Every structure is written in C-alpha cells, then in structure tokens.
Amino acid sequence: MRKATNTPTESNIESQTNPIPKLTKKGQATRARIVAAAAKLMYERGVAGTSVEDVQQEAGVSSSQLYHYFKEKRELVLAVILFQNEQVLGSQEPLLSHLDSMEALQSWRDALVLYQTELGFQGGCPIGSLGSELADLEPAARRELAAGFAQWEMAIRRGLRAIYDRGEMRSDAQPEQLALALLAALQGGLLLAKVRKEAGPLEAGLDAMLDHIRSYLIETSAK
C-alpha cells in the first residue's frame, strides 16, 4: 500500500484572492499596467525594496489612480503573485500541458535551461523569489504562492500519471511523489544557477530527476 501524501488536487489549488471587481476596458488596462510594473520592480528589487511610489512612477499613474485599484501595498503584492503565477506557467505552454513521455519531459527540461541561459541566470524563479521573501511573513501571500506551485506540480503530475496509466512505468512508481521531487529539483536548480550564474546546477538537478524517472520505465518502453 502506498503511503498517503499531501498532494495538490484540482479542488484545493484555487486562488484565495477576492475576485477583481468589474472594470471598464480602460480601467482594466490601467490596473494591468500597475500590476506589471509592480511585478517587474519586485522581481528586480524584492517586495521590501519596492515602494508604492516606485510602482506609481514605473507605471506612469497618479497616486489617486494607484490607490483606486489597490487600497494598500498588500493588495498589490497579492495581485503580483497572481500575475507571476500566470506568467510563469503560461511561458511554459504548450510543453507543460503535454509532459506525457520522456521525450516531452526532456524537451521541457531543455527549454527551461535555454530560457535561463538567455536570461543570464538573472532573477531565478519569480514565484520562488516571492516565496522566499513572503512565505513566513504573509499568510495570504503564502497561500497564493502555494496555489501557484500546486498548479505547476499538477501539470507535471498529469504527464507522469499518463505514462503510468499507459502501463509504461513499474507498478511501484509514484507519479505524485516524482512530480513533487521534479519540481523541487527545478526550484533548487534555479536558485543555485542564479547564485553561480551558470546552467550546471539546473541541468544537474533536472537530469538527475529525469534519470530517476527513467529508472521506473518498463524496459520495452524506455527510450
């Protein structure tokens, strides 16, 4: 019998933030510009290093405009987390939606390494960076970050589960645990690659996990 684990489900990864009130098209554009500006600054400087005035200047809005959409910085931070969740996961499509073979997993790995290389290993993971700064300080922010990571983990798990359900993995494989471990290897690799300014840690972490996943493949399906 497999050990029960606390893994995300489709029903428990919903965002905890209140719905955005209905806005005019102009209002939506202004709000989006503010959030994008805040996300850029918080990614570069951190949340603590980004003031409301900095965001106001970067977005090119007045103080009254900014406070019309966000009553306090905390609300803006939550909006940035949602923005980064969407950006990070969206940037990996369509690869992330079809991780149902070792070839697809390898292509996803290669794309992640190439993207970080092109960035010069600056910044690391936007979600991970926010998590490092906020998880112990802001419960609401932690929940939003956890939801973002859970969506990421769920996408990986769906691919591994598809391989398992096709009978291409040994019966003792645990797609849920493998998905979580792969995401953890990715996050650790991104952090070390950021610090060392080289792809080696990211490649090592991802390659080790992909080799581990391959070890569960039934020989006739191994590539």
Side-chain angles (χ1 to χ4, degrees):
M1 180 180 294
R2 293 180 179 177
K3 182 180 178 181
T5 57
N6 293 323
T7 54
T9 64
E10 298 287 359
S11 62
N12 68 14
I13 61 176
E14 296 295 329
S15 168
Q16 301 296 318
T17 301
N18 292 330
I20 299 170
K22 290 185 178 180
L23 301 171
T24 64
K25 287 187 178 180
K26 183 177 180 181
Q28 291 173 356
T30 301
R31 185 184 186 281
R33 189 165 77 252
I34 293 170
V35 174
K40 174 180 179 293
L41 294 177
M42 290 176 186
Y43 184 57
E44 294 172 350
R45 308 177 185 177
V47 175
T50 302
S51 69
V52 173
E53 290 74 21
D54 293 333
V55 176
Q56 178 187 330
Q57 183 176 2
E58 180 74 21
V61 297
S62 67
S63 176
S64 60
Q65 281 180 300
L66 194 150
Y67 282 102
H68 172 72
Y69 298 104
F70 303 100
K71 304 303 180 186
E72 56 183 352
K73 183 178 178 180
R74 178 177 175 276
E75 292 182 5
L76 180 57
V77 170
L78 293 176
V80 166
I81 293 171
L82 292 177
F83 174 86
Q84 293 291 28
N85 284 345
E86 292 174 359
Q87 291 293 111
V88 169
L89 296 176
S91 69
Q92 296 175 57
E93 293 295 343
L95 293 174
L96 196 60
S97 296
H98 301 89
L99 298 179
D100 56 353
S101 69
M102 290 310 305
E103 292 85 350
L105 286 163
Q106 185 68 43
S107 294
W108 175 65
R109 173 266 189 213
D110 293 345
L112 290 169
V113 172
L114 177 61
Y115 180 68
Q116 288 299 315
T117 302
E118 290 174 343
L119 288 179
F121 310 102
Q122 296 288 329
C125 174
I127 306 176
S129 296
L130 288 168
S132 296
E133 187 173 1
L134 298 172
D136 291 334
L137 302 175
E138 291 285 346
R142 187 198 64 76
R143 288 193 295 270
E144 293 296 347
L145 291 161
F149 278 125
Q151 291 176 42
W152 207 343
E153 181 185 341
M154 182 66 69
I156 299 170
R157 194 210 299 188
R158 278 194 292 265
L160 296 178
R161 171 56 67 175
I163 299 172
Y164 182 89
D165 288 345
R166 291 199 302 265
E168 297 175 7
M169 277 185 172
R170 300 198 317 258
S171 61
D172 61 330
Q174 294 182 299
E176 295 81 6
Q177 288 291 86
L178 292 172
L180 178 58
L182 182 53
L183 180 58
L186 170 57
Q187 288 300 308
L190 286 170
L191 176 58
L192 287 177
K194 173 184 175 180
V195 172
R196 293 175 55 169
K197 301 302 180 193
E198 61 169 318
L202 180 58
E203 293 174 325
L206 292 176
D207 289 346
M209 271 309 305
L210 292 186
D211 285 344
H212 184 57
I213 292 169
R214 285 190 187 92
S215 73
Y216 284 101
L217 294 180
I218 294 174
E219 189 171 339
T220 56
S221 66
K223 302 292 184 183

